[in-house]
Amino acid sequence: MTKKPIPIGDLIKRADLQLTPWTGHAGLSKEISNAEINRPGLALAGFTERFTNNRLQILGETELTYLLSLAIEDRRRTVEHILALDVPCMIITKGMAPPAELMEAGERFDTAILGSTLTTDEFSHSLIEYLEPYFAPSTAVHGALVDVYGIGLLFTGRSGIGKSETALDLVERGHRLVADDVVTVYRLRRGVVIGTGNELMQHHMEIRGVGLIDISSIFGIRGIRVRKRIEVVVELEEWQDQAKYDRTGLEEETTTLLDVELPFVRIPIVPGKNLTVIAEVVALNHSLKLVGVNSAEELNQRLVDVMNKKKSAKYDREDYE
Amino acid sequence: MLQQTITILNKSGLHMRPAEQLVHLASQYQAEITLIKDDLQINGKSIMGILMLAAEHGSALTIKTDGTDEQEALQALVDLFEHHLGEQDE
């Protein structure tokens, strides 16, 4: 899914960025379509080759002090040179006032000059926190996402296989539902995939035979969570006699979601099997691996050690001199 | 794979009752059914998905069907939309 660009006017509405325009309505309808920011130090010095003009431009104390050190005519020429390159907007941090030449140029080139009371660091972090998830590659996955002991389990499988019922049972046992049926997934830069629900449907769930239920009303705040990193994909499927299910846990299957590799577990469904407990164990086993304990590997190592010992004992006994 | 774009004709849009009609009809077919509105793409056999579209009167919806009975499924769904999703307006 490609996201709509964000008008500069919408940035001002975000309280956490503490932005106010210095140039009235100029440039507020310009848009940004990426989550990158730029501090135009070199461009101010006159080097505009490879200048990333499509990014938000941030002027911190250093850049502003440099501008103010220039003679008025040079300052005017410098800011006009940059604004003529069609930047989305200029943001001045730390509550500093822009030089008059910059404001004039902003109005002339219809580019907003905004001020924020935050420091450059604080501002960049807040901005990236907002823009990065927004512009991150995203997709919608048919499944249910539940936080089980702090591990994000994404249940997939065909319609009617029991994803919602498994999620409901997990919530009953004190785990937290993130989204059911359609999970919106986006990828952060660090190769982390985050799942969240739909704003309209929130924490509703469909249980066949009962209809739509609202998990947040039934179980309250303890039963829900807004977003969660997806850590293991659990596919539910009908038992197939010929399918090769993992019997040892030595082979770790993976699947990719938005190009991120995730552990993948296939669980066959048979009557009488308690899926909820299995799901809890999948989460706990993943937690164990995160702290460096791989039960299957360890058991196998013990087995190998025991066999080696037997072999060497036998060798000793049989080697007479 | 077949696809067709239709317009929501009933006055109150794709609310819960027509959505239920739609999901019942879609579930009768083996074909995979996908509904697309703007940048949202959902499974046509899922009531939650259909509600998520929040498809208002006059909005355009693309129906995609894929499978052995895709032809019949598409025809039946288009018919349902053309008949105002079983709703009696005015």
Side-chain angles (χ1 to χ4, degrees), chain A residues 1 181 198 200-201 204 206, chain B residues 39 46-49 51-52:
Chain A
M1 286 189 271
D181 205 64
N198 175 279
L200 176 67
M201 300 309 293
H204 280 82
E206 187 208 359
Chain B
D39 57 358
S46 144
I47 183 89
M48 297 261 295
L51 295 179
M52 256 173 225

Side-chain angles (χ1 to χ4, degrees), chain A residues 16-237:
Chain A
D16 57 338
L17 298 177
Q18 299 183 20
L19 283 172
T20 39
W22 285 101
T23 42
H25 293 290
L28 292 187
S29 54
K30 277 199 175 181
E31 292 172 330
I32 41 163
S33 46
N34 62 64
E36 320 276 339
I37 53 174
N38 185 45
R39 290 185 72 172
L42 279 174
L44 290 175
F47 185 76
T48 49
E49 237 175 86
R50 310 194 58 136
F51 173 59
T52 45
N53 67 317
N54 59 342
R55 299 182 183 180
L56 285 179
Q57 306 292 326
I58 296 184
L59 299 181
E61 214 164 14
T62 325
E63 290 81 6
L64 211 63
T65 313
Y66 170 74
L67 269 183
L68 292 172
S69 75
L70 300 176
I72 290 185
E73 265 323 299
D74 290 337
R75 199 184 300 156
R76 187 185 307 279
R77 202 166 338 109
T78 303
V79 295
E80 283 181 355
H81 184 47
I82 292 188
L83 289 185
L85 295 170
D86 191 28
V87 298
C89 77
M90 285 262 185
I91 293 159
I92 297 158
T93 54
K94 258 188 167 175
M96 295 177 296
E101 298 75 25
L102 183 57
M103 292 210 269
E104 284 162 26
E107 269 160 30
R108 171 132 27 104
F109 291 99
D110 191 35
T111 302
I113 311 295
L114 310 174
S116 173
T117 49
L118 301 175
T119 66
T120 308
D121 259 10
E122 287 168 340
F123 181 79
S124 318
H125 282 130
S126 303
L127 186 73
I128 286 173
E129 222 165 79
Y130 163 48
L131 294 182
E132 204 184 56
Y134 184 87
F135 287 117
S138 72
T139 183
V141 178
H142 187 65
L145 177 59
V146 188
D147 171 348
V148 181
Y149 296 124
I151 302 292
L153 299 186
L154 176 67
F155 294 94
T156 60
R158 68 154 180 81
S159 279
I161 191 97
K163 301 181 290 289
S164 299
E165 289 74 7
T166 305
L168 179 64
D169 210 11
L170 284 164
V171 171
E172 213 336 276
R173 291 173 63 104
H175 304 290
R176 302 164 77 190
L177 177 77
V178 182
D180 184 45
D181 205 64
V182 180
V183 184
T184 305
V185 179
Y186 58 89
R187 183 186 75 213
L188 292 183
R189 220 178 294 181
R190 302 172 289 278
V192 170
V193 275
I194 308 283
T196 177
N198 175 279
E199 252 172 72
L200 176 67
M201 300 309 293
Q202 292 186 344
H203 295 93
H204 280 82
M205 187 183 255
E206 187 208 359
I207 298 294
R208 302 281 154 100
V210 179
L212 294 172
I213 57 170
D214 181 4
I215 296 296
S216 63
S217 302
I218 298 177
F219 295 95
I221 193 74
R222 67 147 206 155
I224 57 165
R225 190 174 170 155
V226 176
R227 65 180 72 80
K228 176 75 190 90
R229 175 177 178 180
I230 299 174
E231 284 155 295
V232 184
V233 178
V234 181
E235 182 159 284
L236 308 181
E237 60 173 40

